[in-house]
Amino acid sequence: FYHMDLYGSKERFDIFPEEPSGQEDRSLGDTRKESALSSEKFQRSQEAGYDLEKEVAELAKMYGLDEDREKELELLGGHLEMVESRWPPARTEKAGSQGSIYNASKSSSPVKDQSQSTKQQGFPGEASQDEDQSKARAEDEAERHTWSREGLSSGSMSDEWNSQAVSEEEEAANVFCSTCKMPIRAFDKLFGEHKDHEVAQLPSAVESEREEIHKNMCKLEEQIAQMENFASHLEEIFITVEENFGRQEQNFEAHYNDAVQVLAQKYEEQLEALGEEKRQKLEALYGQLVSCGEHLDTCKELTDATQELYLENDKANFMKVKSFNYFFFPYNYRLEEFLKKEVDLELSTLPDFEERVIDFSEVEQLMNSINTIPAPCAPVINPQAPNAATGTSLRVCWGLFSDDTVECYQLCYKPVSNERPSDEQAEHTLKVKETYCTITNLLPNTQYEFWVSALNASGISPPSERAVYVTAPSPPTIKSKKIRSCENAALVCWESRDINPVDSYMVELSKLTDEENGDIITESIVGIPNCEVLIHLQPTQSYRICVRALNLGGSSERSEPVLINTTGTYFCLNEDTAHPLLAILDDGFTIACDELENPECDLPVYDNSFTRCIGILGSLIPFPGKHYWEVEVEEDTEYRIGVAFENTPRHGYLGANNSSWCMRHIITPSRHKYEFLHSGMTPDVRITVPPRRIGILLDYENCRLSFFNADIGQHLYAFNSHFQHYVHPCFVLETPGILRIHTGIAIPPWTAL
């Protein structure tokens, strides 16, 4: 809102839009009349009670908003209240008239004309309007003198009001238009151009935008990391180019020096041969020259002697044989003999030298080999890395610690045989480009010998040193029928499927905390040297157990899992101890005897089986504490059930020695008789209700073996004996019938009574 002193100043024309030219000469009186009319309308609105929500509802109804918009109205309700709280209050009647004058002055000229025409037509209460107008004129005249003194400060105050109005308008943007991607006011959503757009709360929109910015920043960081990696790669390529150039330069220089050395050697050889030929020619010519000089001297001597003889006057002396020097014959004879000798006037050697051709084939070969790379050096094969093997595959790695160029590698391997050299396994060869290779289709837990060579266009390198790798073992096989467990522990047995021994075993223990959701807590027991392990567990839990075999190559795959429940004691029946007439049904816990032959018949038996009584032992219970199981019997069947040591005699009866304790059922003509036997002795116990389901409680700590009628929770009898060793459950049929053994039962509470 602007101060009223602007209406009489030139600044008014800078703030408000210009009016049409036809109304530029409009008088101040007309303006004041319009202000009075606006003031009256404002007063009426104040008297009638201005309700913003009611007006919004009417406008919504007028614009045809449906019921689906009510939710948006509720969403924007808080913002409407905030906007209403910022609505300019009516200060006084005077202020209201000022605001009306301001509003009237800002309205367009057609609206002003309409207000004037309405005034001319007249309406009820015209006299009161004239009075109001006269009062407004008087008040305006009085205030104009006051506001004129503030003319200098009016511009700054108007700027302040402008900034306040703009700030209020900015604060009114309290929702976010998802369609236009911009903040808007609540009114713009209801009645403006954003009416049909999707909007959201401004804080949630800001949070969503921040999340998008964070995602984009993450993507930008990824791109930066990729570009940095690529830049690093380019730097490596630059370095590699420089290294390759240096290597090729050295290679070229070496070949060039070799070629120059060969040329120098050829030059020296040819020059030496040429000098030898020169020496030979000169020696031959010199010898011929010396011979020619000697012959010439002889000729001169003969000539002188002949002339002297020819001048002799004495004829007798001329013909006489004289001895002159070495002449002992007539002189003429000697002269004739000398002349008969042939004189060699041919040159012993020619002055021309033999044409020598230099053999450049070796130089050409060297020159042609300048671009030829040398054969590579031998690679170095790495030792086996941990966990680099499976049961059927091996990953072999090697390296080339030289600058040689390599096109590919030749990998050779064969199984390591402990047999004679003549029975060695065949070798296998692979060609690979990289410095590693994964070989498949191998045997589990087997050693293999590997060696590798490098190849290029010039040839193949020497083979590397040989390295021995070993594959991982095969998964063990858990003997589910030999698993024994109780509330606090379990004894798990398995067998290896490999011929070669393994280093150790690892048991993976998974506790099923929630079978529906599949929540699993996994633990591992490592370093187990044998094929069995005693595991301590928690009561009333379910466990899934797997076994792995380990060697230098790594661990095997998991074995088939077995499920163990610690709700009670579990054991199985040892078939090796069963009498030949005793049959074990498919469930593994029901024994039957249908034959009527003599128990001591000539049937094949095992070394550890019973021969006299038709019985069988259960597996050993090697856990301290209490153990409970039940046996379902028939009334017309005679039986013995109890426990026995491992060394109990197989040719005797159960309970007849000091290594077994049992409850015996005998059918007599008068009644059912029950005996509790140990070392052949039994107390006098009478049982009135024949039990159909007998519970047996073994308590190692309290040295007690108790029998119960499980159907009615009745205690029958208890042996108090110190068990020096762990015992086996035992079961005997003395007449044809069936016994059903139930394990994994929690100890009933009535056993403690």
Side-chain angles (χ1 to χ4, degrees):
F1 296 98
Y2 300 95
H3 289 282
M4 294 306 298
D5 59 352
L6 300 179
Y7 282 91
S9 63
K10 293 181 180 180
E11 296 177 0
R12 172 179 179 272
F13 300 100
D14 298 332
I15 297 175
F16 299 104
E18 295 182 358
E19 297 179 353
S21 60
Q23 298 183 2
E24 290 180 355
D25 300 334
R26 188 173 182 180
S27 62
L28 183 61
D30 295 338
T31 304
R32 289 176 176 174
K33 290 179 182 180
E34 294 174 0
S35 301
L37 290 175
S38 301
S39 175
E40 181 183 359
K41 292 179 181 179
F42 182 78
Q43 290 175 1
R44 288 184 179 180
S45 64
Q46 292 291 331
E47 293 173 358
Y50 181 75
D51 190 354
L52 181 60
E53 294 184 358
K54 183 176 180 181
E55 183 178 350
V56 170
E58 291 178 357
L59 290 174
K61 183 177 181 181
M62 181 174 60
Y63 279 95
L65 296 177
D66 51 6
E67 296 179 356
D68 295 337
R69 309 285 290 185
E70 293 180 359
K71 296 182 179 179
E72 298 180 0
L73 291 174
E74 293 177 359
L75 176 66
L76 304 175
H79 303 299
L80 293 176
E81 293 176 0
M82 181 174 61
V83 174
E84 184 178 358
S85 64
R86 297 174 181 173
W87 195 268
R91 305 175 213 173
T92 58
E93 184 179 353
K94 175 181 175 181
S97 62
Q98 292 174 1
S100 301
I101 293 171
Y102 165 72
N103 291 333
S105 64
K106 285 196 69 176
S107 61
S108 61
S109 58
V111 176
K112 294 178 181 179
D113 296 339
Q114 184 179 1
S115 63
Q116 291 177 1
S117 62
T118 305
K119 179 180 177 183
Q120 293 174 1
Q121 291 176 2
F123 52 87
E126 185 175 3
S128 61
Q129 292 180 3
D130 294 336
E131 293 176 359
D132 294 337
Q133 292 176 3
S134 61
K135 290 179 181 180
R137 293 192 191 99
E139 292 173 354
D140 293 340
E141 291 294 337
E143 291 181 358
R144 286 182 62 185
H145 295 288
T146 305
W147 292 344
S148 62
R149 291 192 298 268
E150 302 175 0
L152 295 175
S153 62
S154 61
S156 61
M157 294 177 69
S158 63
D159 294 338
E160 182 180 356
W161 281 102
N162 278 325
S163 62
Q164 291 179 0
V166 172
S167 63
E168 289 180 358
E169 184 178 357
E170 290 178 354
E171 290 178 359
N174 42 29
V175 293
F176 183 77
C177 179
S178 302
T179 304
C180 299
K181 303 296 183 183
M182 61 180 294
I184 61 173
R185 298 179 303 170
F187 285 111
D188 295 337
K189 167 59 181 172
L190 292 175
F191 313 113
E193 59 181 0
H194 304 279
K195 178 179 178 181
D196 298 329
H197 294 177
E198 183 180 355
V199 298
Q201 290 285 352
L202 193 59
S204 62
V206 170
E207 187 66 26
S208 202
E209 189 69 17
R210 287 178 178 174
E211 292 179 359
E212 290 296 328
I213 292 175
H214 179 69
K215 291 180 182 178
N216 292 332
M217 286 296 295
C218 293
K219 293 180 181 178
L220 184 60
E221 290 176 357
E222 291 179 359
Q223 290 185 1
I224 291 173
Q226 291 177 358
M227 294 304 297
E228 289 178 350
N229 294 335
F230 183 69
S232 300
H233 181 64
L234 288 178
E235 292 177 358
E236 293 177 357
I237 295 299
F238 271 102
I239 295 173
T240 304
V241 169
E242 292 291 340
E243 291 177 352
N244 292 338
F245 171 76
R247 191 180 302 113
Q248 291 295 333
E249 185 180 15
Q250 292 177 0
N251 185 30
F252 178 79
E253 183 178 359
H255 283 77
Y256 176 78
N257 292 334
D258 291 342
V260 171
Q261 185 177 359
V262 170
L263 285 174
Q265 183 179 358
K266 293 288 184 181
Y267 171 77
E268 293 293 338
E269 291 177 356
Q270 294 295 332
L271 186 62
E272 184 180 357
L274 186 63
E276 179 67 22
E277 185 178 0
K278 172 186 174 182
R279 184 185 62 78
Q280 291 176 0
K281 286 181 178 292
L282 292 177
E283 288 180 355
L285 290 174
Y286 179 76
Q288 192 174 13
L289 181 60
V290 170
S291 177
C292 181
E294 292 176 353
H295 188 77
L296 184 60
D297 291 340
T298 303
C299 291
K300 287 182 179 181
E301 183 181 354
L302 287 175
T303 301
D304 293 339
T306 302
Q307 289 179 356
E308 182 180 357
L309 182 62
Y310 185 76
L311 295 176
E312 182 67 36
N313 294 324
D314 190 359
K315 296 180 180 179
N317 293 332
F318 182 78
M319 297 301 296
K320 191 183 289 184
V321 177
K322 289 181 155 183
S323 174
F324 181 77
N325 292 337
Y326 54 86
F327 296 105
F328 297 95
F329 299 97
Y331 192 80
N332 189 30
Y333 177 78
R334 295 296 302 171
L335 185 61
E336 288 177 358
E337 289 294 329
F338 178 78
L339 292 175
K340 286 181 181 179
K341 294 181 180 179
E342 293 182 0
V343 178
D344 186 9
L345 300 180
E346 296 292 335
L347 293 175
S348 61
T349 181
L350 298 176
D352 297 332
F353 285 84
E354 181 182 356
E355 294 185 1
R356 297 182 177 276
V357 180
I358 300 177
D359 185 11
F360 289 99
S361 60
E362 187 176 356
V363 178
E364 291 178 357
Q365 184 178 359
L366 288 174
M367 297 299 294
N368 293 332
S369 64
I370 289 179
N371 295 326
T372 303
I373 57 177
C377 299
V380 178
I381 195 166
N382 300 339
Q384 184 172 1
N387 300 321
T390 65
T392 58
S393 66
L394 283 170
R395 181 181 174 87
V396 183
C397 302
W398 58 89
L400 187 67
F401 298 96
S402 65
D403 296 332
D404 298 334
T405 302
V406 176
E407 295 180 358
C408 64
Y409 296 93
Q410 179 176 288
L411 179 65
C412 303
Y413 68 96
K414 67 176 182 178
V416 177
S417 176
N418 295 326
E419 300 176 357
R420 294 174 298 177
S422 59
D423 298 332
E424 289 186 357
Q425 301 289 336
E427 296 181 0
H428 303 272
T429 303
L430 297 174
K431 286 189 176 182
V432 293
K433 294 287 186 180
E434 298 80 7
T435 56
Y436 61 88
C437 181
T438 301
I439 300 93
T440 57
N441 299 325
L442 303 178
L443 298 177
N445 199 30
T446 304
Q447 291 183 342
Y448 288 87
E449 193 175 31
F450 291 89
W451 62 97
V452 64
S453 301
L455 291 86
N456 61 14
S458 299
I460 184 172
S461 72
S464 65
E465 296 291 334
R466 302 199 175 194
V468 176
Y469 282 52
V470 58
T471 54
S474 301
T477 301
I478 298 179
K479 300 178 181 179
S480 57
K481 292 185 177 181
K482 293 188 177 182
I483 293 178
R484 287 152 282 175
S485 65
C486 64
E487 293 183 350
N488 301 309
L491 182 65
V492 183
C493 303
W494 61 87
E495 61 182 359
S496 175
R497 295 165 51 187
D498 297 314
I499 300 176
N500 299 324
V502 300
D503 296 341
S504 63
Y505 295 94
M506 177 175 62
V507 174
E508 294 182 348
L509 187 66
S510 303
K511 182 169 68 174
L512 307 181
T513 58
D514 189 353
E515 295 185 359
E516 294 181 357
N517 297 331
D519 296 335
I520 297 178
I521 302 174
T522 302
E523 299 177 1
S524 298
I525 304 174
V526 298
I528 304 172
N530 302 320
C531 290
E532 67 176 18
V533 63
L534 180 63
I535 309 172
H536 295 282
L537 306 174
Q538 297 177 359
T540 64
Q541 299 291 335
S542 296
Y543 294 88
R544 182 180 289 113
I545 294 179
C546 301
V547 181
R548 294 177 184 264
L550 291 86
N551 64 4
L552 182 61
S555 66
S556 68
E557 298 294 329
R558 288 190 180 96
S559 65
E560 290 294 328
V562 294
L563 187 64
I564 293 179
N565 298 313
T566 57
T567 54
T569 299
Y570 286 86
F571 59 85
C572 56
L573 299 179
N574 190 350
E575 298 181 3
D576 295 339
T577 63
H579 190 276
L581 296 179
L582 192 67
I584 303 175
L585 302 188
D586 295 337
D587 61 356
F589 291 96
T590 302
I591 60 175
C593 178
D594 296 332
E595 301 293 336
L596 299 177
E597 290 87 348
N598 187 351
E600 299 182 3
C601 60
D602 297 331
L603 291 176
V605 295
Y606 299 101
D607 295 337
N608 199 29
S609 60
F610 286 96
T611 58
R612 182 177 294 272
C613 61
I614 305 175
I616 188 173
L617 292 180
S619 56
L620 187 70
I621 302 178
F623 316 112
K626 296 181 180 181
H627 306 280
Y628 179 81
W629 64 94
E630 294 180 354
V631 181
E632 189 177 347
V633 299
E634 298 177 350
E635 290 186 4
D636 57 348
T637 302
E638 296 183 356
Y639 55 83
R640 299 183 188 217
I641 56 176
V643 297
F645 288 142
E646 173 70 28
N647 59 354
T648 189
R650 303 295 192 265
H651 58 277
Y653 291 99
L654 194 64
N657 47 59
N658 60 357
S659 60
S660 58
W661 298 258
C662 73
M663 172 184 174
R664 182 186 183 189
H665 174 230
I666 304 172
I667 301 176
T668 63
S670 59
R671 63 185 180 91
H672 292 273
K673 184 179 179 180
Y674 294 91
E675 296 178 347
F676 296 90
L677 297 170
H678 176 62
S679 299
M681 300 178 63
T682 179
D684 186 10
V685 178
R686 291 182 177 269
I687 299 176
T688 56
V689 179
R692 298 293 304 273
R693 193 179 183 99
I694 301 172
I696 303 174
L697 178 62
L698 174 63
D699 189 350
Y700 280 120
E701 295 178 355
N702 296 321
C703 303
R704 188 178 180 89
L705 177 65
S706 303
F707 295 87
F708 300 88
N709 186 341
D711 292 331
I712 60 177
Q714 179 186 11
H715 179 263
L716 301 179
Y717 185 76
F719 290 101
N720 293 311
S721 178
H722 178 66
F723 300 105
Q724 298 177 353
H725 309 284
Y726 291 119
V727 297
H728 295 259
C730 53
F731 311 92
V732 176
L733 284 171
E734 296 187 334
T735 59
I738 294 176
L739 294 179
R740 294 182 177 87
I741 299 102
H742 300 274
T743 63
I745 303 173
I747 299 176
W750 40 260
T751 58
L753 300 178

